[in-house]
Amino acid sequence: KDVESKKFLYTGRLSKNKNVKLLVTAFERYVKNGHSDAVLNIAGSGEELDLLKRMKLELGINNNVNVLGQVPHDEIYDLLKEADVFVTASEGEGCSISVLEAYASGLPVICRRMPGLEGQVSNNKAGIFVKDMTAECFHEAMEKMNIRRYRLSLNCLKEARNYDKSIIAHKIIECIEDLFKE
């Protein structure tokens, strides 16, 4: 049975193209829509670090948003273990290591549909794609997660198996062999 998502996590750079400000604005709506004990942990560094710290104060969600700054990689796993949902609003990704780490921890992902993530995140299977890059759409996805999280979490663990190093190595070898056949 699904329960309310209370712990959201973002890990990565804090730059304009990562749109973490959008996540904070969406999370403010989530908190003020009856989830006053929810928490968003933001781990990373970059030019928007101080802006995010000011923003959470201005929005009145200082107790709900933790801007952690740079976190040693071994401590990221502790954050992943504690979280319920991984969120990202990036404008561009290749193969996202952060999403893979979330999957391996059983965390469903809320993100934008785009090349790269589109190949990693299966909508309504291991995560939820937002319709548009707006705070309203991210908030809506956070609310939807409350009724789908358990099933999506199980699927994340299954999806993570597709990224096993032996499977990836085999795929690379096949690609190289195909190149020499031409």
Side-chain angles (χ1 to χ4, degrees):
K1 180 170 177 359
D2 280 302
V3 294
E4 180 180 337
S5 301
K6 293 184 186 247
K7 294 183 180 180
F8 293 81
L9 175 65
Y10 168 84
T11 62
R13 282 176 298 151
L14 304 179
S15 58
K16 286 184 181 184
N17 70 321
K18 295 297 185 174
N19 290 314
V20 183
K21 294 183 304 187
L22 177 65
L23 295 176
V24 173
T25 303
F27 189 72
E28 174 207 16
R29 292 170 186 237
Y30 187 77
V31 167
K32 293 182 178 177
N33 193 45
H35 308 283
S36 60
D37 57 346
V39 173
L40 170 62
N41 286 318
I42 300 170
S45 63
E47 69 263 16
E48 293 200 339
L49 179 72
D50 292 333
L51 173 72
L52 294 168
K53 288 179 178 179
R54 285 191 312 273
M55 191 176 172
K56 69 179 193 156
L57 288 168
E58 291 167 4
L59 294 174
I61 53 172
N62 188 49
N63 294 331
N64 302 90
V65 176
N66 300 310
V67 181
L68 306 170
Q70 187 66 40
V71 174
H73 201 255
D74 59 328
E75 293 177 25
I76 293 291
Y77 296 109
D78 293 332
L79 293 171
L80 288 163
K81 283 191 289 187
E82 294 172 11
D84 297 323
V85 178
F86 185 84
V87 291
T88 182
S90 179
E91 290 178 7
E93 290 290 337
C95 181
S96 172
I97 299 301
S98 296
V99 168
L100 293 178
E101 291 172 333
Y103 275 3
S105 300
L107 295 183
V109 176
I110 296 174
C111 65
R112 173 183 175 215
R113 181 186 301 268
M114 71 173 97
L117 288 180
E118 198 170 48
Q120 274 186 286
V121 178
S122 302
N123 193 31
N124 293 315
K125 181 177 178 189
I128 297 174
F129 286 131
V130 296
K131 291 182 231 172
D132 295 303
M133 285 290 278
T134 63
E136 296 85 23
C137 287
F138 272 91
H139 170 243
E140 181 182 300
M142 291 174 179
E143 294 290 351
K144 284 181 185 175
M145 192 61 75
N146 289 331
I147 58 173
R148 300 179 183 163
R149 188 166 53 102
Y150 180 74
R151 181 178 49 86
L152 295 176
S153 292
L154 293 177
N155 289 335
C156 287
L157 295 170
K158 291 176 190 172
E159 288 290 318
R161 292 184 194 132
N162 293 328
Y163 294 93
D164 179 83
K165 63 184 175 187
S166 61
I167 292 172
I168 298 298
H170 182 70
K171 288 180 181 180
I172 292 170
I173 290 168
E174 283 180 350
C175 288
I176 293 170
E177 288 173 348
D178 286 347
L179 286 173
F180 284 107
K181 287 179 187 174
E182 294 177 0

